């Protein structure tokens, strides 16, 4: 953010000074106050943090939905965590406004993929961004001599740990994420969890994706989601 071209300051809200603030409570209120009267057409951020911002915007404006405040809002760029547990609350807060929830898979180590289809939640793998991809089957994680395969050998519906080699000098670096391919032409995938959040003591292969779905089902069954 600090190194972004100056032209960006004319295309976004709030200003750079607020975005670079370190006092989170103060920053939250300033972001809401400085955007509530702007013509916001897109928003970006981690879902849990963005929900706090949107609720503060509603509080300041005294409106019931975001659609009443930002009628031209078209897309929400998100990433970092699974969006599934947050989708229902976002839809309630946004109101009748239909927007594109675009999932982005970027990190300090590289930009790996993004959601290019509005109706499908899998991500398109960016195979031409200076990153060489390799994959380890999830049951190989933790083995010192684990089997690693190139992109050309992956299969659909198999969970893999992601390893990358990049132009910046990273060599076979294990990102820590797990993913599953949904298409091989083009390569599309879904992020399923973290290698550190994986249990396979007795062959159960429990990943974050399974746990999220179980919690979601339990909440729906007990009406714990509002």
């Amino acid at each position: 953010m600090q190194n972004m071209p100056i032209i960006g300051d004319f295309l976004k809200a709030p200003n750079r000074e607020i975005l670079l603030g370190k006092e989170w409570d103060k920053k939250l209120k300033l972001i809401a106050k400085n955007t509530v009267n702007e013509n916001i057409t897109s928003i970006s951020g981690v879902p849990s943090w963005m929900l706090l911002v949107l609720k503060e915007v509603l509080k300041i404006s005294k409106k019931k939905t975001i659609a009443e405040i930002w009628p031209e809002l078209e897309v929400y760029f998100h990433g970092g965590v699974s969006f599934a547990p947050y989708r229902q609350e976002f839809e309630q807060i946004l109101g009748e406004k239909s927007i594109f929830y675009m999932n982005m898979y970027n990190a300090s180590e590289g930009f790996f993929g993004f959601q290019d289809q509005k109706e499908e939640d899998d991500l398109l793998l960016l195979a031409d961004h200076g990153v060489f991809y390799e994959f380890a089957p999830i049951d190989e994680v933790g083995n010192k001599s684990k089997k690693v395969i190139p992109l050309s050998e992956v299969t659909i519906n198999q969970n893999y740990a992601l390893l990358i080699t990049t132009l910046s000098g990273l060599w076979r670096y294990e990102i820590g994420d797990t993913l599953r391919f949904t298409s091989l032409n083009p390569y599309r995938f879904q992020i399923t969890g973290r290698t550190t959040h994986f249990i396979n003591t007795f062959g159960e292969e429990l990943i974050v994706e399974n746990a999220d779905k179980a919690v979601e089902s339990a909440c729906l069954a007990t009406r714990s989601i509002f």
Side-chain angles (χ1 to χ4, degrees):
M1 183 62 65
Q2 194 169 14
N3 297 316
M4 193 172 75
I6 196 69
I7 190 173
D9 291 333
F10 300 98
L11 302 173
K12 70 176 184 346
N15 61 48
R16 192 179 305 213
E17 183 181 354
I18 292 174
L19 292 175
L20 292 174
K22 297 181 179 180
E23 296 181 31
W24 290 100
D25 290 339
K26 182 179 179 181
K27 183 176 180 178
L28 173 64
K29 291 179 172 57
L30 287 174
I31 289 176
K33 182 179 179 181
N34 283 264
T35 57
V36 67
N37 294 317
E38 296 284 350
N39 179 30
I40 302 297
T41 58
S42 66
I43 54 179
S44 65
V46 177
S48 55
W49 168 252
M50 184 54 63
L51 275 176
L52 294 176
V53 173
L54 295 180
K55 288 178 180 178
E56 188 66 23
V57 169
L58 290 177
K59 180 181 177 181
I60 293 173
S61 66
K62 298 182 180 179
K63 301 290 186 181
K64 291 184 178 180
T65 67
I66 293 298
E68 300 174 66
I69 307 167
W70 300 328
E72 296 187 38
L73 181 64
E74 297 179 323
V75 59
Y76 168 40
F77 301 98
H78 64 89
V81 297
S82 172
F83 186 61
Y86 300 95
R87 178 179 286 273
Q88 186 173 354
E89 191 168 4
F90 266 92
E91 291 175 348
Q92 290 175 348
I93 288 178
L94 293 174
E96 297 181 359
K97 184 70 178 177
S98 177
I99 72 169
F100 183 10
Y101 299 103
M102 181 182 283
N103 193 1
M104 312 289 286
Y105 185 22
N106 58 335
S108 302
E109 298 85 2
F111 192 177
F112 309 127
F114 68 96
Q115 183 181 346
D116 64 329
Q117 303 174 103
K118 188 173 183 179
E119 304 303 326
E120 302 292 336
D121 62 359
D122 49 1
L123 287 75
L124 178 69
L125 184 73
L126 298 176
D128 57 352
H129 276 211
V131 179
F132 179 74
Y133 300 99
E134 293 180 290
F135 306 87
I138 194 66
D139 55 3
E140 293 282 340
V141 172
N143 297 335
K144 290 184 178 180
S145 57
K146 60 176 173 283
K147 177 183 178 182
V148 176
I149 61 174
L151 181 60
S152 60
E153 295 182 19
V154 300
T155 59
I156 293 176
N157 295 327
Q158 165 71 46
N159 278 303
Y160 296 103
L162 174 62
L163 294 88
I164 61 168
T165 298
T166 75
L167 296 175
S168 65
L170 287 175
W171 175 259
R172 276 199 162 180
Y173 180 79
E174 190 170 309
I175 287 292
D177 293 327
T178 61
L179 53 84
R180 180 181 62 245
F181 283 94
T182 58
S183 168
L184 300 182
N185 187 24
Y187 287 105
R188 287 197 172 94
F189 65 95
Q190 293 178 329
I191 302 172
T192 57
R194 299 281 295 170
T195 54
T196 52
H197 300 159
F198 170 72
I199 301 174
N200 191 34
T201 305
F202 303 103
E204 61 271 36
E205 293 193 12
L206 176 61
I207 56 178
V208 172
E209 182 186 40
N210 303 140
D212 284 345
K213 287 181 178 178
V215 171
E216 182 180 7
S217 297
C219 289
L220 290 172
T222 58
R223 298 183 180 181
S224 300
I225 297 179
F226 299 97

